[in-house]
Amino acid sequence: MNLTNIKQAVCKFLFLVEAAALFILLSAAIQGSIALPAAVGYAIASFVGVNLLSCLILPTEEIQPSPRRTVAPAVRQPVSLRVVPGGRHAA
């Protein structure tokens, strides 16, 4: 497995863990077990922390378009045309 694929899998796992933690935090804030300012502060810190960690794990790659290949036009052979008397088709 490529190292980049492993890094992407780790980042996806971190985002899933963050989503689960925020769901649990939301449930606790609705229930009243935790104060709303503390829940909002933890949510913001979690969001920023996971995004910073994923930026450190996966550095941005410069995406460069692949160079276009220019194809030379095919050399066409000239077609010789003949006029045939009598309305017949030339063979």
Side-chain angles (χ1 to χ4, degrees):
M1 210 171 159
N2 194 0
L3 184 61
T4 304
N5 292 339
I6 293 172
K7 289 179 180 181
Q8 288 177 351
V10 167
C11 287
K12 288 179 184 179
F13 178 73
L14 286 175
F15 283 117
L16 287 175
V17 168
E18 178 192 8
L22 292 179
F23 180 73
I24 293 170
L25 186 66
L26 177 67
S27 299
I30 290 173
Q31 188 179 18
S33 301
I34 190 170
L36 186 62
V40 171
Y42 179 77
I44 291 171
S46 173
F47 180 76
V48 170
V50 168
N51 281 313
L52 284 176
L53 187 60
S54 67
C55 286
L56 292 175
I57 291 174
L58 290 174
T60 57
E61 299 173 0
E62 294 182 14
I63 300 173
Q64 298 177 353
S66 59
R68 291 187 164 209
R69 296 185 310 182
T70 56
V71 178
V75 178
R76 297 184 182 196
Q77 299 294 331
V79 178
S80 61
L81 299 176
R82 297 188 289 171
V83 176
V84 179
R88 298 179 311 201
H89 296 291

